């Protein structure tokens, strides 16, 4: 079964609230087999909308990533990101 990447592009508008989101989101991702590959850090924006925070996590499967997003733990963390950020989030299956 192919692994999947969770890719988020984020503009943080309230650092304190977003910090609470990040504190809860990390354990929720780990509980579903997610491993961060990039979390902030340097980047080069070549096309599209520039958002200063870029996050990539690998999950064991597309289903595991979707289950994580829908989990009560992640949804509780997500309440802190809403209103504290502008985000795009996509989950893509990796090639075998």
């Amino acid at each position: 079964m192919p692994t999947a990447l969770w890719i988020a592009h984020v503009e943080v508008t309230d650092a304190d609230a977003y910090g609470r989101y990040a504190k809860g989101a990390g354990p929720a991702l780990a509980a579903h087999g997610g491993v961060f590959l990039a979390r902030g850090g340097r980047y080069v924006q070549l096309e599209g909308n520039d958002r200063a925070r870029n996050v990539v996590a690998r999950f064991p499967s597309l289903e595991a990533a979707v289950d994580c997003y829908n989990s009560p733990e992640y949804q509780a963390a997500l309440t802190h990101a809403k209103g504290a950020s502008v985000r795009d989030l996509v989950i893509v299956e990796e090639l075998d």
Side-chain angles (χ1 to χ4, degrees), residues 32-51:
H32 290 86
V35 177
F36 288 105
L37 304 178
R39 197 173 189 185
R42 294 178 52 187
Y43 71 98
V44 175
Q45 183 70 35
L46 298 175
E47 295 185 21
N49 297 320
D50 184 28
R51 301 228 170 101

Side-chain angles (χ1 to χ4, degrees), residues 8-90:
H9 303 288
V10 184
E11 176 188 342
V12 176
T13 57
D14 180 338
D16 291 334
Y18 199 81
R20 291 189 295 276
Y21 157 75
K23 187 175 181 179
L29 269 71
H32 290 86
V35 177
F36 288 105
L37 304 178
R39 197 173 189 185
R42 294 178 52 187
Y43 71 98
V44 175
Q45 183 70 35
L46 298 175
E47 295 185 21
N49 297 320
D50 184 28
R51 301 228 170 101
R53 185 165 177 81
N54 298 285
V55 179
V56 180
R58 177 175 285 127
F59 283 84
S61 67
L62 183 78
E63 292 77 15
V66 172
D67 288 347
C68 175
Y69 183 84
N70 291 321
S71 72
E73 298 82 10
Y74 185 78
Q75 289 298 310
L78 189 58
T79 63
H80 299 290
K82 293 183 178 181
S85 62
V86 177
R87 303 163 20 112
D88 292 316
L89 174 63
V90 63

